[in-house]
Amino acid sequence: MKTIAELSALREAMQPKMAVRRGLALIEKDGYRRHVLICAGTGCTSSKSLKIAENLENALKAQGLENDVQIVKTGCFGLCAVGPIMIVYPEGTFYSSVQPEDVDEIVETHLKNGKIVDRLVYTDEHTVRAPGESVALADTTFYKNQHRVALRNCGFIDAENINEYIAMDGYKALGTVLTTMTPDDVIKVILDSGLRGRGGGGFPTGMKWSFAKKSVSEKKYVVCNADEGDPGAFMDRSILEGDPHAVIEAMAIAGFAIGADEGYVYVRAEYPIAVRRLKLAIEQAREAGVLGKDIFGTGFNFDIQVRLGAGAFVCGEETALLTSIEGNRGEPKPRPPFPAVKGLFDKPTIINNVETYANIAQIINNGAEWFASMGKDKAKGTKVFALSGRIQHTGLVEVPMGTPLRDIVYGVGGGVPNGKAFKAAQMGGPSGGCIPASLIDTNIDYDSLAAIGAMIGSGGLVVMDEDNCMVDIAKFFLEFTVDESCGKCTPCRVGIRKMLDILTRITDGKGEEGDIEKLEELAYMVKTNSLCGLGQTAPNPVLSTIRYFRDEYEAHIREKRCPAGACKNLMSYVIELDKCIGCGLCAKQCPVNAITRLDPADYPDRKLAPFTIDASKCIKCGACVASCRKLAIIKK
């Protein structure tokens, strides 16, 4: 494609294929009666989705249906808890937890004879469905309360086929920018949209671009931060796996806006599917003429290279990331100067994360007002969250900025399972803070979260219930940041380690009066004196849990008790004798023979004497609890 006209012609030719997936009556033009979409993202491939696709291909050939049904391997659909996922269009039937051995039944019953395989149709707690009725993604609790912008193509297109991206208005925005807009026009649109960085700090994207444009240099760079290192975060990975061209197109637009002709995507090597699809997408974009020299005959040149990170969390910090791209050890640098003035190879550089770029083309295509109409106050657009932890529906969630936390936990996530009570949500990973149940109606936006000691961060959202110990949670995140600190500055290297030592003592039952005050003092020292964002935000989980769950810290220190029963050194297992039926299953499962039967002479009225646990031998593995059918073993 050398011209905008050729791009438009290809898009028009591809529309019937996309129409099938929208359930529209254009099937005869596409040539296939049905499209079967199979998730080929990391989560589902680990559950044999590629084997499902292979079995489906073979079964279709055996039935002579290979020309009637098209198999499409997509990126992540989002509802990771019920994978592997398969969607059959044009009906839109949503099959979940599909196994390779289910394929023959799906082909025979549904694809050949047009009847739904009832046992595989996904339903949630609110779905009302008659036998033989189809259920579509949009009908489920998880999806109908979302508004997908950054994720709009994920799970809908073949990420390894550039033509499918083009059919979804792909590279239309780039064509518009290069032929009808000036760099200042582009930056104004991004500024007016209110888009802020989705990687952590929330800095206005258009403002960052304007700083880089104003910097005078013969060479400038555009960088994509795909070094997603937060525990429980997988938004950027899923976008790269499901819609890599969205990032490529956006980086080219950014290059035009600031006057750059070269870009880098810094992605962690632990994302093999994302890396492979990104590299393939770059090759396809070059072949199609939307990346490289003289794009659309406008004289604009822009190309992209991929750099693999080795999994260092600190390289999510922009100056450490740039240092790593340059071939040096990933360590942060003092700011100013900021990268927009002096960045990669000492040249002006803009850095945005994957999700931020995933919004750019749609803002150009639909206008700044369209994007700004979503969200609240200073937080415009949508935000993708990786919803995990003690929640019914784990997966990727995209909602308008300003959505209350309650609506995400209960309206999308389905609430806390097993009748447990919601206790807190950790927002923003190791850099964020805990939101307690009393603040569950807080709007999820930059300012509201900052006011309660939390942050959006990259978008990790871990839900915790009554069985989670908040002191232990703070220790978990601090263990992570201690391991990931580059060690360049003393406040981070030494201060966080000292905090972890105190937390470890507390959870081991060796806490002392004054430990809470020591933690607070150290936390503020680390926050105000660390060189980069890792150290400056590492104390957040500790400070927020002390702020909202101080009573748990005090119970650990003063009573040597973990209220949640999660800290091993502060808990014990006890058999309630009136519930024990003397079956002995717990004793058989105990690996250290800590469970013995009491003297039958002391229980003459019982057929079998109950058992007891020797606390001095118990290793607190929990095997006995899992084996007890009468729920007679409790944690204290």
Side-chain angles (χ1 to χ4, degrees):
M1 293 170 298
K2 300 300 182 184
T3 67
I4 300 295
E6 290 175 314
L7 182 74
S8 299
L10 176 57
R11 180 177 297 114
E12 185 175 344
M14 288 292 295
Q15 284 303 315
K17 175 178 287 192
M18 296 298 108
V20 175
R21 296 178 205 169
R22 294 191 178 100
L24 302 178
L26 292 172
I27 300 173
E28 69 280 357
K29 294 182 180 180
D30 173 64
Y32 292 98
R33 288 190 302 112
R34 288 189 174 91
H35 290 190
V36 177
L37 275 59
I38 299 173
C39 175
T42 293
C44 285
T45 54
S46 67
S47 300
K48 303 181 181 179
S49 67
L50 296 183
K51 181 63 176 175
I52 292 170
E54 180 185 339
N55 287 3
L56 181 60
E57 183 177 359
N58 293 334
L60 290 173
K61 288 180 180 178
Q63 294 278 5
L65 298 174
E66 66 269 26
N67 295 322
D68 290 337
V69 180
Q70 183 179 39
I71 302 170
V72 181
K73 299 173 189 174
T74 71
C76 178
F77 287 91
L79 190 50
C80 305
V82 296
I85 290 174
M86 175 189 291
I87 311 291
V88 180
Y89 287 104
E91 302 95 321
T93 304
F94 178 6
Y95 289 132
S96 64
S97 302
V98 179
Q99 300 301 312
E101 54 268 26
D102 296 325
V103 169
D104 287 340
E105 182 181 1
I106 293 171
V107 171
E108 179 68 27
T109 304
H110 191 161
L111 302 181
K112 183 178 179 181
N113 295 313
K115 297 179 180 179
I116 305 297
V117 182
D118 278 302
R119 67 181 182 85
L120 295 175
V121 174
Y122 173 77
T123 56
D124 58 33
E125 61 274 16
H126 300 298
T127 302
V128 178
R129 185 184 75 90
E133 257 186 4
S134 180
V135 171
L137 289 177
D139 298 330
T140 66
T141 300
F142 185 79
Y143 287 99
K144 67 184 177 184
N145 293 318
Q146 294 190 47
H147 191 88
R148 293 164 76 87
V149 177
L151 298 178
R152 74 181 187 116
N153 287 334
C154 294
F156 192 77
I157 66 170
D158 178 356
E160 298 185 12
N161 184 346
I162 188 175
N163 293 342
E164 293 209 355
Y165 176 72
I166 290 170
M168 300 299 292
D169 290 335
Y171 293 104
K172 177 181 177 181
L174 179 60
T176 300
V177 163
L178 296 185
T179 57
T180 68
M181 301 174 73
T182 66
D184 286 332
D185 292 337
V186 175
I187 291 173
K188 185 176 187 307
V189 170
I190 302 304
L191 277 169
D192 291 346
S193 73
L195 176 65
R196 294 170 65 173
R198 298 304 196 240
F203 192 81
T205 304
M207 191 176 296
K208 182 183 291 188
W209 290 17
S210 69
F211 291 157
K213 179 185 180 296
K214 292 174 184 176
S215 296
V216 178
S217 177
E218 78 286 356
K219 184 74 175 181
K220 298 180 182 180
Y221 294 97
V222 173
V223 173
C224 174
N225 181 353
D227 190 65
E228 188 174 50
D230 286 11
F234 49 98
M235 300 77 62
D236 291 352
R237 184 199 75 200
S238 294
I239 292 173
L240 287 179
E241 290 178 355
D243 198 15
H245 286 283
V247 176
I248 294 170
E249 181 177 14
M251 291 180 69
I253 291 170
F256 174 78
I258 72 166
D261 63 359
E262 189 173 1
Y264 287 86
V265 181
Y266 187 87
V267 57
R268 51 182 44 224
E270 296 97 327
Y271 287 175
I273 297 176
V275 170
R276 181 176 62 80
R277 289 184 182 162
L278 176 63
K279 289 182 176 179
L280 176 61
I282 290 172
E283 292 175 6
Q284 291 177 342
R286 288 171 182 154
E287 292 174 4
V290 293
L291 198 63
K293 300 287 186 182
D294 193 25
I295 299 173
F296 294 133
T298 61
F300 174 64
N301 305 323
F302 190 81
D303 209 346
I304 295 174
Q305 299 184 51
V306 176
R307 288 290 183 270
L308 301 185
F313 179 66
V314 73
C315 286
E317 195 277 334
E318 58 182 14
T319 61
L321 182 151
L322 296 178
T323 302
S324 182
I325 291 178
E326 291 169 350
N328 302 311
R329 185 169 186 252
E331 291 182 331
K333 297 178 180 178
R335 298 179 302 175
F338 291 93
V341 176
K342 186 178 180 181
L344 187 63
F345 304 116
D346 292 334
K347 303 299 181 182
T349 304
I350 58 169
I351 309 171
N352 293 113
N353 82 325
V354 171
E355 186 186 343
T356 307
Y357 283 124
N359 289 286
I360 297 297
Q362 294 184 73
I363 292 172
I364 298 296
N365 287 334
N366 298 301
E369 291 183 2
W370 165 81
F371 190 81
S373 69
M374 297 176 279
K376 293 182 179 180
D377 302 326
K378 297 179 182 178
K380 305 299 185 182
T382 61
K383 179 72 187 80
V384 181
F385 295 98
L387 190 59
S388 61
R390 308 289 174 85
I391 191 77
Q392 289 278 10
H393 309 311
T394 59
L396 288 180
V397 172
E398 185 172 4
V399 294
M401 280 283 198
T403 298
L405 177 60
R406 182 187 297 275
D407 291 356
I408 298 175
V409 173
Y410 290 97
V412 178
V416 181
N418 304 319
K420 299 288 185 177
F422 171 82
K423 186 173 186 176
Q426 173 73 11
M427 291 284 300
S431 303
C434 285
I435 304 174
S438 60
L439 296 175
I440 193 172
D441 291 309
T442 299
N443 292 336
I444 303 303
D445 60 61
Y446 301 102
D447 296 337
S448 298
L449 291 180
I452 62 172
M455 63 185 293
I456 288 179
S458 62
L461 202 169
V462 183
V463 176
M464 288 161 277
D465 67 16
E466 59 198 75
D467 293 334
N468 287 110
C469 170
M470 304 313 295
V471 185
D472 190 54
I473 290 292
K475 187 180 79 169
F476 168 80
F477 283 111
L478 220 57
E479 285 173 336
F480 179 84
T481 47
V482 164
D483 286 342
E484 295 295 338
S485 171
C486 73
K488 185 174 183 177
C489 70
T490 303
C492 179
R493 183 181 69 250
V494 178
I496 300 177
R497 166 59 68 181
K498 290 291 186 182
M499 292 176 66
L500 178 58
D501 290 343
I502 295 173
L503 283 173
T504 301
R505 282 197 295 101
I506 293 174
T507 56
D508 284 346
K510 300 174 184 177
E512 302 170 353
E513 288 291 343
D515 278 346
I516 298 176
E517 290 72 23
K518 289 178 185 176
L519 281 171
E520 291 176 319
E521 184 180 355
L522 280 167
Y524 288 116
M525 182 278 294
V526 173
K527 282 179 71 72
T528 54
N529 294 287
S530 291
L531 176 61
C532 81
L534 187 151
Q536 292 162 8
T537 59
N540 286 348
V542 178
L543 290 172
S544 64
T545 51
I546 290 176
R547 179 178 180 180
Y548 299 114
F549 300 95
R550 194 182 190 95
D551 58 327
E552 289 198 24
Y553 280 83
E554 292 172 345
H556 282 69
I557 294 169
R558 297 171 183 171
E559 303 171 33
K560 308 304 178 189
R561 178 178 65 88
C562 176
C567 296
K568 279 192 173 184
N569 290 333
L570 294 177
M571 74 175 186
S572 60
Y573 286 105
V574 177
I575 297 177
E576 295 185 312
L577 301 184
D578 59 328
K579 292 183 180 180
C580 178
I581 61 174
C583 67
L585 285 176
C586 57
K588 292 177 182 177
Q589 293 298 320
C590 181
V592 293
N593 299 317
I595 303 176
T596 57
R597 190 186 298 276
L598 293 169
D599 189 349
D602 294 333
Y603 299 90
D605 298 331
R606 297 182 58 165
K607 182 177 179 181
L608 295 171
F611 282 76
T612 187
I613 299 175
D614 184 344
S616 65
K617 293 182 179 179
C618 178
I619 61 172
K620 302 164 185 173
C621 65
C624 56
V625 177
S627 67
C628 184
R629 294 176 295 186
K630 296 297 182 179
L631 305 178
I633 306 175
I634 61 171
K635 288 190 293 185
K636 279 193 172 182

